[in-house]
Amino acid sequence: MPDLEPQRSGGRVALVDLTGAEDMTAALRKLQDQWGPVAPVDLEPGVPGWLVLGHAEVMEVMRTESVFARNPRHWREQLPPQSTLHAILSPTGRRNLYFADGAEHRRLRLPVDEAFANMDEVRTAALVRVVCARLIDSFAARGSADLMGEYAAAVSFLAVSGMFGFDERQGVDLLRCASEIFGHGGDPVSALVRMDQIVMDHVIATRAEPGPNLTSSFIKHPSFEDDTEIVHSMVVAICAANEMLVTWIAATLRRMLTDPRYTGRVTGVRRGLDDALDETLWNEPPVANLPARYAVTDCTLGTARIRAGDAIVMGVAAANNDPRVRTSDDLFEAGNRSHLSFGVGPHACPAKRPGRLVVKIAVESLMERLDLRLTDPVVKWAPSPWSRYPSTLPVTFTPERQTARTPARV
């Protein structure tokens, strides 16, 4: 098995080429056949790192923060000023749970865990249904829509921003910033600065007038030392939640519209939405490549020699399809929850229940109201090294008659 350091291995594949491949699963298996469970890759042109492909190896990285740290100060790579990776991998002066380890991480994680655990799920569900209904209203009479731009992206961000108490205008502004931060065009660094300011203004306003939202929970939590920590923690929570939800919504909708097990009615084998949600987590995880950990010391992972300071990306999509944990038996797979789409270890996703709630309502609201038909089965994937979702999801449906609707209230 080849055993080279990434700096010495020519012809590294780029992460964005893997997520943008026509058949990503086949591309990842080819990479694993060549390198084993850990492969050298380019995070962007000229920026080397490792992509962990094996399920057991991804688990090891996620669980062992003493060896694989989140704090980018351990990274020995110096990014050029024009790099699009700064906002995700090496931001300056960020004080939040995402880039912290050990006791500091636990201090900053506690307010997030408690805020999501104490969320009013009934109120949250009502908020999401209002968002979904308003978005569907905007195109229901037309008979066609792009479910990515007009629905999935908007639902996820407006729902998340609503949970934090932002109004719709602020939610749209935050969505634009988050899109740039995750490499979907624009300037990620300046977008992060703009997002910080929007959130800081909201924190100040919420302190003066608290409400039943996550921002109020963050503000009153004693673990945060100052408003900067609150803002940085809110930004990472909002961005991470949005990126995961928009991908999960889009992939589930596409599965419901194309997989005959979900679309077929004649045979009586039509499956339910919960099955589609779980299968999507397995086969099209919302974050295909999870950034990033940094080796604290020289070590061996799989067959790869990792040097202190190397960047390590967790290939969740590859790990979920590792034959060591997957079978081809669909019935056997039912109920198998060993996927890594929510992560494991100290940095595991703190919002599994709210996330599933949002996605289920978003898909259910649309499927129950409109008889959707996908108009173009050829998928063009949005360019991102981290997530894999369609750039567009065009559908047609029977237009609704325009009638006066009473606005729902939360």
Side-chain angles (χ1 to χ4, degrees):
M1 184 69 66
D3 183 20
L4 300 177
E5 299 174 4
Q7 290 79 6
R8 297 178 183 173
S9 58
R12 295 183 299 264
V13 65
L15 283 180
V16 72
D17 291 337
L18 292 171
T19 54
E22 182 177 349
D23 187 339
M24 183 175 67
T25 300
L28 291 169
R29 284 178 179 166
K30 181 179 179 181
L31 195 65
Q32 190 162 13
D33 288 343
Q34 179 182 1
W35 294 101
V38 183
V41 293
D42 267 343
L43 309 185
E44 69 177 14
V47 181
W50 297 100
L51 178 63
V52 188
L53 303 162
H55 188 275
E57 290 76 17
V58 170
M59 293 261 288
E60 181 179 350
V61 172
M62 288 181 171
R63 285 175 166 167
T64 320
E65 65 176 351
S66 60
V67 178
F68 306 106
R70 262 279 175 80
N71 194 323
R73 69 179 177 82
H74 296 287
W75 196 16
R76 55 189 167 84
E77 190 69 32
Q78 296 295 317
L79 292 175
Q82 70 276 14
S83 172
T84 61
L85 298 176
H86 282 288
I88 297 293
L89 299 187
S90 187
T92 302
R94 305 304 291 183
R95 295 162 56 196
N96 60 51
L97 71 165
Y98 192 88
F99 297 107
D101 300 292
E104 182 73 353
H105 172 260
R106 290 190 291 275
R107 176 179 71 83
L108 293 168
R109 167 87 184 215
L110 183 61
V112 178
D113 284 340
E114 292 186 356
F116 281 114
N118 294 325
M119 277 182 60
D120 183 339
E121 291 192 4
V122 173
R123 181 180 177 83
T124 300
L127 181 153
V128 177
R129 289 192 179 95
V130 169
V131 169
C132 293
R134 287 176 178 169
L135 290 169
I136 297 171
D137 285 347
S138 70
F139 56 73
R142 190 196 313 154
S144 64
D146 169 19
L147 296 184
M148 276 304 308
E150 295 183 87
Y151 192 70
V155 165
S156 61
F157 215 89
L158 292 176
V160 172
S161 60
M163 293 178 201
F164 280 91
F166 291 95
D167 61 32
E168 190 167 321
R169 178 190 59 78
Q170 292 170 317
V172 171
D173 290 342
L174 290 170
L175 174 57
R176 294 194 185 105
C177 293
S179 180
E180 293 184 39
I181 289 168
F182 277 89
H184 305 308
D187 181 356
V189 175
S190 64
L192 187 59
V193 173
R194 296 198 311 273
M195 193 168 191
D196 279 348
Q197 189 58 58
I198 294 170
V199 176
M200 179 63 81
D201 292 343
H202 180 62
V203 166
I204 293 171
T206 303
R207 179 174 285 109
E209 191 174 344
N213 54 59
L214 294 174
T215 302
S216 296
S217 297
F218 278 35
I219 287 171
K220 66 185 181 183
H221 202 284
S223 286
F224 287 126
E225 293 180 349
D226 53 33
D227 283 356
T228 298
E229 286 190 349
I230 295 173
V231 168
H232 289 179
S233 295
M234 285 177 60
V235 166
V236 76
I238 292 168
C239 286
N242 175 70
E243 192 74 2
M244 182 165 192
L245 293 178
V246 66
T247 311
W248 196 1
I249 291 170
T252 304
L253 282 170
R254 185 167 170 269
R255 183 174 298 274
M256 297 289 287
L257 293 173
T258 59
D259 190 325
R261 294 172 304 153
Y262 298 99
T263 60
R265 296 179 184 273
V266 176
T267 62
V269 295
R270 182 175 175 85
R271 303 186 69 176
L273 177 52
D274 282 309
D275 291 324
L277 292 172
D278 288 334
E279 285 195 5
T280 300
L281 289 175
W282 267 112
N283 299 317
E284 298 176 79
V287 182
N289 300 315
L290 183 63
R293 304 292 173 93
Y294 309 97
V296 175
T297 185
D298 293 352
C299 61
T300 299
L301 184 65
T303 58
R305 296 194 306 267
I306 309 295
R307 293 175 57 195
D310 281 354
I312 298 151
V313 172
M314 292 150 283
V316 175
N320 281 358
N321 284 285
D322 189 329
R324 292 177 290 180
V325 296
R326 296 298 303 275
T327 75
S328 58
D329 186 336
D330 188 49
L331 292 177
F332 178 80
E333 288 294 335
N336 184 346
R337 297 295 176 87
S338 57
H339 64 74
L340 298 177
S341 294
F342 293 124
V344 296
H347 288 272
C349 175
K352 298 176 188 177
R353 282 177 58 88
R356 190 180 187 94
L357 180 69
V358 171
V359 176
K360 186 170 183 177
I361 292 173
V363 176
E364 197 171 54
S365 298
L366 195 61
M367 300 294 291
E368 288 183 349
R369 185 164 162 185
L370 302 175
D371 56 339
L372 301 170
R373 299 174 294 277
L374 193 64
T375 60
D376 187 357
V378 178
V379 179
K380 295 180 180 178
W381 302 105
S384 169
W386 318 115
S387 302
R388 176 178 170 89
Y389 56 84
S391 55
T392 61
L393 199 60
V395 295
T396 58
F397 47 86
T398 303
E400 280 189 351
R401 291 184 178 181
Q402 288 185 316
T403 58
R405 288 180 175 271
T406 302
R409 296 183 180 274
V410 177

